[in-house]
Amino acid sequence: MIIKNKSSRYLILSAFLLASCTAPKIVGTWQITNYETKTGDGQEIKLANIGNLQFKKNNTGKKQINYSVLQNKVEDNTPFKWVASEEHLTITGKGPELNKTWIIVENGKKYQKWKSTDGGSTVQILELKKQ
C-alpha cells in the first residue's frame, strides 16, 4: 500500500508511535520481587523474590519460578507466550504459575505492578523489577 497524502502518512505514523509508547515496556528479564495473594475472607500470603520472567520481542518467554508456601514447593521453569496491550498482559503456557490475564497497574521501564483474580474473590498482585 502506497500512501500519497502527506497528512495521512503523518496520521498513520503518529498512531503507530502512540500505540508503541502505550504498550508495556516488558521485553527483558524481570525479577519477581513480590507475589501476594489476598482472599475474600481476609487471608494473605506474601512472598518475595520467587524467581524471574524473561520476555522476548517475539512474544515468547520463559518462567523461572521457585518458592515454598505452607510446606508446598512450587517450581515452574517453562516457556510461555505473551500478548500485551496498554492495560493488560496475558501469559499462556504449560506451567502452572502465572498463566492468566493480568491488569497492568504500573508500567515503568524498571518496575511493573500487575493484578489479577481467580474469577472469584481471590486477588493476586505481582511486582517486577527489571534486571
Side-chain angles (χ1 to χ4, degrees):
M1 177 171 92
I2 298 173
I3 300 171
K4 294 181 180 179
N5 184 329
K6 225 180 202 184
S7 62
S8 295
R9 278 189 253 166
Y10 290 127
L11 180 61
I12 291 170
L13 180 60
S14 297
F16 175 76
L17 290 174
L18 181 61
S20 64
C21 291
T22 58
K25 301 160 183 72
I26 198 68
V27 173
T29 301
W30 295 79
Q31 179 183 6
I32 304 169
T33 57
N34 292 301
Y35 180 55
E36 186 175 343
T37 301
K38 296 179 181 183
T39 63
D41 60 3
Q43 294 181 11
E44 289 186 25
I45 297 174
K46 294 182 180 184
L47 303 169
N49 302 318
I50 66 167
N52 297 313
L53 295 173
Q54 179 186 28
F55 293 87
K56 298 178 185 176
K57 287 182 182 181
N58 66 357
N59 291 77
T60 64
K62 183 165 184 185
K63 294 180 268 182
Q64 295 175 316
I65 299 170
N66 187 352
Y67 64 90
S68 294
V69 62
L70 304 174
Q71 298 182 354
N72 293 320
K73 186 168 175 62
V74 176
E75 191 169 341
D76 186 355
N77 294 303
T78 58
F80 63 86
K81 293 183 180 182
W82 63 274
V83 177
S85 69
E86 180 179 346
E87 299 172 352
H88 299 93
L89 186 132
T90 302
I91 296 174
T92 55
K94 293 183 179 181
E97 295 301 306
L98 311 181
N99 294 331
K100 59 174 63 192
T101 297
W102 295 86
I103 299 166
I104 300 168
V105 178
E106 291 188 43
N107 177 19
K109 287 183 178 181
K110 300 285 184 183
Y111 175 80
Q112 297 273 326
K113 184 174 183 178
W114 307 342
K115 288 186 179 182
S116 190
T117 67
D118 64 354
S121 61
T122 301
V123 176
Q124 295 170 313
I125 301 167
L126 196 63
E127 292 182 59
L128 306 161
K129 180 180 176 186
K130 192 154 194 182
Q131 294 185 321

